[in-house]
Amino acid sequence: MNALIAENLSHVQAQIAAACLAAGRARSSVRLLAVSKTWGPDAVRQAHAAGQTAFGENYIQEAVDKIITLHDLALEWHCIGPIQSNKTRLVAEHFDWVHSIDRLKIAQRLSEQRPENLPPLQVCIQVNVDGGATKSGVAPQDLPALALAVAALPRLQLRGLMTLPEPAETPEQMHAVHAQAKALFDALRQQGLPLDTLSMGMSADLDAAIAEGSTLVRVGTAIFGKR
């Protein structure tokens, strides 16, 4: 096993634990998603040997090849990148989770193409919480209608929201954008949607995201290194 990946995982887990402690939250309330995009199957095997089971991928064809290669391991695969209509079948057939639903058409195709022999696809809606011009995601004002429509689809289970805000210039801005996402999440729960997942925070803003309520942080470079 690559000792460096194991050591990096240990450091990230310690950072998550410290952030939870500072926020007055249980360590069990935050999951780590290891973002393995551009890294080969061997790196994933090494992370799995160090105890990591959930992996996030942005590039669908690359991910499917990896999923097939690593079928012998009990892994949980999360699609965290944008999904084009011609790739929904691959996602529906191979992934366990999707974080990046931002329009109803994609959700409908995933629902129709999810194989009957697999559990429902666990999904999050990506919300463009800060209005970043280059970011995917549904606008906050359009979120409630999309959430209700996705929640009604068969073969999918709506679990929550995902955010990918622009880099913040100050810690205060970082906290504010995450707090806004948490408010949207709480509002949907108050409408009766049984959401439990707020996919929010990466290496640079992990502490702030956890302080504001993230339940799942997505970390890549700090685990696998730089390409």
Side-chain angles (χ1 to χ4, degrees):
M1 185 178 71
N2 185 323
L4 185 59
I5 288 179
E7 183 179 333
N8 289 346
L9 267 170
S10 180
H11 286 317
V12 172
Q13 293 284 9
Q15 184 183 357
I16 293 171
C20 287
L21 184 64
R25 299 178 57 189
R27 172 61 189 88
S28 59
S29 67
V30 180
R31 297 183 66 201
L32 170 62
L33 183 66
V35 180
S36 46
K37 65 175 182 179
T38 74
W39 290 92
D42 286 348
V44 175
R45 283 191 185 277
Q46 291 158 15
H48 176 262
Q52 180 65 25
T53 57
F55 294 86
E57 294 280 337
N58 288 62
Y59 310 119
I60 292 166
Q61 188 58 59
E62 172 199 320
V64 169
D65 294 343
K66 211 177 299 183
I67 292 168
I68 292 171
T69 300
L70 297 169
H71 68 91
D72 57 305
L73 301 181
L75 303 178
E76 184 179 275
W77 292 99
H78 296 235
C79 178
I80 59 176
I83 303 173
Q84 296 175 325
S85 295
N86 63 350
K87 295 291 178 62
T88 53
R89 185 173 297 278
L90 283 174
V91 174
E93 291 179 349
H94 293 280
F95 283 87
D96 304 295
W97 281 71
V98 173
H99 293 224
S100 47
I101 289 177
D102 60 359
R103 57 195 191 278
L104 184 57
K105 176 185 176 183
I106 295 298
Q108 289 170 331
R109 289 177 66 89
L110 291 170
S111 172
E112 293 164 2
Q113 295 168 347
R114 181 67 169 176
E116 289 288 339
N117 64 311
L118 294 179
L121 187 62
Q122 309 298 295
V123 301
C124 293
I125 293 174
Q126 182 174 352
V127 55
N128 188 354
V129 71
D130 60 349
T134 63
K135 299 294 185 184
S136 300
V138 63
Q141 64 268 25
D142 298 326
L143 173 62
L146 179 59
L148 290 170
V150 172
L153 292 171
R155 312 298 302 145
L156 302 183
Q157 182 175 357
L158 180 61
R159 297 291 295 270
L161 303 180
M162 185 266 267
T163 64
L164 185 62
E166 300 285 353
E169 295 181 3
T170 67
E172 291 77 16
Q173 290 175 345
M174 196 179 291
H175 279 267
V177 72
H178 291 322
Q180 184 182 350
K182 180 60 160 59
L184 294 170
F185 176 81
D186 289 343
L188 291 176
R189 284 173 53 88
Q190 289 167 7
Q191 289 185 32
L193 291 174
L195 308 183
D196 62 6
T197 300
L198 187 52
S199 172
M200 179 172 79
M202 299 182 289
S203 298
D205 58 350
L206 182 151
D207 292 356
I210 290 174
E212 299 301 337
S214 173
T215 69
L216 186 149
V217 291
R218 311 181 303 271
V219 179
T221 302
I223 295 170
F224 295 104
K226 291 183 178 179
R227 269 296 185 193

